[in-house]
């Protein structure tokens, strides 16, 4: 299946000379997945809501300031007849919600993750939320300031945070769009002289004031089709995953990206490894990453790895010109999910630290399994007495 009939010519286009203030207003008013930037009609790049939110570019600056190669990974340029699975892979690896589609070298239209999900919806009833969700979510408290939420979103490269009350129960969710909407709205009320002080005060506003509540939830045994239908119908990018009998407890999060990632899973003999922000790789290769993860997985022979996801995120800090890179490795296995996170100057150093953490967690998982096996043997012996 290709994307010929999934891609669309319906997209928002702005020139490189457009003011950032106008672009921010576009995201607030239309909530597009992304905007195509052109220069005198020629394709230049794509900017997303997250890039606009996370940037420190002033409203009077031009859009071109966000298109510098050093600022973000470029969206992939896709052929109109590209395979759906390969398209999903490229969208995820470039951390893009929307990408330009070309035909015979000319910009034809765009393809979005939502469009792909709608096209494959009927095939998603064979997967459950439990097969694809992300566990151990990062959370914020109701009284935490918006500044703290922004830091969590930036540091972890995520788009939503569950909000917990003083008892640790789920009461809301805050997203990048919620924050962008709030910041734009408040900035429009300020004058140039007041803006610095008002921005500082905005960061101290409690998350409770802007979070979405009540929260839309789902469960582990819900089909991916049902979850995606709910996300598409209500324009949610993700759902909180809770136990069947208590929607106040957060087990994890399932997002549209998780479902797209599942579309790229293969049944080939070699390990399926997906890398988000692949452009940040420097002195390390995809092949080396795959071999290293496989070596760790082999230390626990009973653990079969179905899929490995490696996510790279570049911080602003540098050491002798080399950026600080955070690397997250997450394995989906027949024994559950296991992950490791680390930071280092350069992708390779960051990956090695994360791999070491992953190995420790894998061995810990092995130890837990061994303890449970021993416990079972002991109980059987006691029952025989």
């Amino acid at each position: 299946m290709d994307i010929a009939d999934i891609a669309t010519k319906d997209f928002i286009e702005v020139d490189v000379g457009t003011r950032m203030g106008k672009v921010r207003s576009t995201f607030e008013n239309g909530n597009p997945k992304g905007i195509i930037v052109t220069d005198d009609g020629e394709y230049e790049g794509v900017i997303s809501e997250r890039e606009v939110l996370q940037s420190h570019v002033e409203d009077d600056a031009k859009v071109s300031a966000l298109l510098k190669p050093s600022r973000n990974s470029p969206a992939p340029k896709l052929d109109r007849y590209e395979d759906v699975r390969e398209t999903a892979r490229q969208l995820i690896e470039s951390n893009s919600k929307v990408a330009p589609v070309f035909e015979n070298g000319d910009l034809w239209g765009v393809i979005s993750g939502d469009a792909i999900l709608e096209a494959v919806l009927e095939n998603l009833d064979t997967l459950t939320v439990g097969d694809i969700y992300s566990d151990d979510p990062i959370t914020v408290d109701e009284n935490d300031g918006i500044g703290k939420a922004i830091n969590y979103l930036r540091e972890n490269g995520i788009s939503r945070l569950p909000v917990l009350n003083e008892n640790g129960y789920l009461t809301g969710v805050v997203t990048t769009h919620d924050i962008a909407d709030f910041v734009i709205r408040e900035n429009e009320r300020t004058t140039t002289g007041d803006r610095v002080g008002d921005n500082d005060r905005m960061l101290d506003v409690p998350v409770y004031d802007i979070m979405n509540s009540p929260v839309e939830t789902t469960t582990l045994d819900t089909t991916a089709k049902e979850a995606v239908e709910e996300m598409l119908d209500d324009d949610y990018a993700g759902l909180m995953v809770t136990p069947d009998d208590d929607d106040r407890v957060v087990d994890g999060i399932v997002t549209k990206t998780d479902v797209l990632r599942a579309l790229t899973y293969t049944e080939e003999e070699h390990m399926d490894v997906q890398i988000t922000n692949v452009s940040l790789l420097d002195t390390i290769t995809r092949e080396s990453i795959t071999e290293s993860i496989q070596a760790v997985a082999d230390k626990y022979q009973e653990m079969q790895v179905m899929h490995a996801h490696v996510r790279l995120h570049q911080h602003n800090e540098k050491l002798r010109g080399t950026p600080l890179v955070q690397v997250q490795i997450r394995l989906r296995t027949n024994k559950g999910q296991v992950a490791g996170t680390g930071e280092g100057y350069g992708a390779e150093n960051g990956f090695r630290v994360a791999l070491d953490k992953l190995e420790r967690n894998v061995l810990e998982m092995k130890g837990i399994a061994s303890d449970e096996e021993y416990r079972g043997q002991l109980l059987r012996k006691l029952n025989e007495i």
Side-chain angles (χ1 to χ4, degrees), residues 85-151:
R85 286 181 181 272
E86 176 61 17
T87 298
R89 184 189 68 79
Q90 292 197 42
L91 284 175
I92 294 170
E93 293 203 338
S94 62
N95 208 21
S96 303
K97 301 297 182 185
V98 62
V101 175
F102 291 80
E103 187 173 36
N104 298 322
D106 297 323
L107 179 63
W108 183 89
V110 297
I111 183 72
S112 68
D114 280 6
I116 292 176
L117 292 176
E118 290 175 356
V120 303
L121 190 59
E122 296 305 316
N123 301 319
L124 296 177
D125 55 1
T126 59
L127 290 171
T128 67
V129 169
D131 293 327
I132 58 178
Y133 84 117
S134 298
D135 62 359
D136 194 23
I138 297 169
T139 64
V140 290
D141 295 333
E142 290 179 336
N143 293 324
D144 286 336
I146 291 176
K148 183 174 182 178
I150 291 176
N151 286 335

Side-chain angles (χ1 to χ4, degrees), residues 309-357:
H309 179 221
V310 179
R311 185 186 183 283
L312 295 91
H313 175 68
Q314 181 174 308
H315 294 296
N316 292 328
E317 182 180 340
K318 292 184 178 181
L319 177 64
R320 293 190 290 274
T322 302
L324 180 64
V325 177
Q326 180 192 65
V327 180
Q328 299 169 324
I329 308 172
R330 181 178 294 274
L331 306 185
R332 295 184 184 277
T333 80
N334 61 330
K335 300 294 184 179
Q337 298 186 40
V338 60
T341 300
E343 292 183 346
Y345 290 99
E348 183 169 6
N349 287 330
F351 174 75
R352 296 303 173 194
V353 176
L355 188 69
D356 180 64
K357 181 63 175 177

Side-chain angles (χ1 to χ4, degrees), residues 174-191:
V174 62
T175 69
T176 54
H177 184 70
D178 297 326
I179 295 175
D181 180 55
F182 172 76
V183 171
I184 293 171
R185 186 172 64 250
E186 292 301 309
N187 275 342
E188 288 176 346
R189 296 175 182 172
T190 66
T191 64

Side-chain angles (χ1 to χ4, degrees), residues 95-327:
N95 208 21
S96 303
K97 301 297 182 185
V98 62
V101 175
F102 291 80
E103 187 173 36
N104 298 322
D106 297 323
L107 179 63
W108 183 89
V110 297
I111 183 72
S112 68
D114 280 6
I116 292 176
L117 292 176
E118 290 175 356
V120 303
L121 190 59
E122 296 305 316
N123 301 319
L124 296 177
D125 55 1
T126 59
L127 290 171
T128 67
V129 169
D131 293 327
I132 58 178
Y133 84 117
S134 298
D135 62 359
D136 194 23
I138 297 169
T139 64
V140 290
D141 295 333
E142 290 179 336
N143 293 324
D144 286 336
I146 291 176
K148 183 174 182 178
I150 291 176
N151 286 335
Y152 279 175
L153 293 169
R154 283 177 176 168
E155 291 171 1
N156 296 280
I158 53 181
S159 59
R160 64 200 55 253
L161 295 166
V163 182
L164 310 181
N165 65 14
E166 58 184 7
N167 296 316
Y169 291 140
L170 176 68
T171 57
V173 60
V174 62
T175 69
T176 54
H177 184 70
D178 297 326
I179 295 175
D181 180 55
F182 172 76
V183 171
I184 293 171
R185 186 172 64 250
E186 292 301 309
N187 275 342
E188 288 176 346
R189 296 175 182 172
T190 66
T191 64
T192 303
D194 297 331
R195 179 157 296 183
V196 174
D198 284 346
N199 280 345
D200 289 340
R201 286 192 291 271
M202 277 192 288
L203 296 180
D204 292 330
V205 171
V207 169
Y208 180 86
D209 289 359
I210 67 168
M211 72 179 189
N212 289 296
S213 183
V215 185
E216 295 300 321
T217 64
T218 188
T219 59
L220 292 175
D221 56 0
T222 300
T223 67
K225 177 184 176 182
E226 293 171 322
V228 170
E229 283 178 330
E230 183 173 357
M231 286 188 275
L232 291 175
D233 289 345
D234 297 324
D235 195 25
Y236 295 137
L239 301 170
M240 299 298 112
V241 181
T242 63
D244 292 332
D245 57 350
D246 193 347
D247 61 4
R248 301 173 303 169
V249 178
V250 185
D251 282 340
I253 301 176
V254 62
T255 66
K256 292 176 181 176
T257 300
D258 292 324
V259 184
L260 285 173
R261 185 174 295 119
L263 296 180
T264 70
Y265 294 174
T266 68
E267 297 181 355
E268 299 176 12
E269 292 184 358
H270 63 79
M271 181 186 294
D272 178 30
V273 177
Q274 187 175 90
I275 303 173
T276 297
N277 292 330
V278 68
S279 63
L280 295 180
L281 293 181
D282 41 31
T283 59
I284 191 171
T285 64
R286 179 190 292 274
E287 291 74 20
S288 176
I289 286 175
T290 301
E291 291 173 0
S292 297
I293 294 176
Q294 185 66 64
V296 170
D298 288 345
K299 294 186 177 182
Y300 186 8
Q301 296 180 355
E302 294 180 1
M303 184 176 73
Q304 299 173 2
V305 179
M306 280 89 77
H307 180 75
H309 179 221
V310 179
R311 185 186 183 283
L312 295 91
H313 175 68
Q314 181 174 308
H315 294 296
N316 292 328
E317 182 180 340
K318 292 184 178 181
L319 177 64
R320 293 190 290 274
T322 302
L324 180 64
V325 177
Q326 180 192 65
V327 180

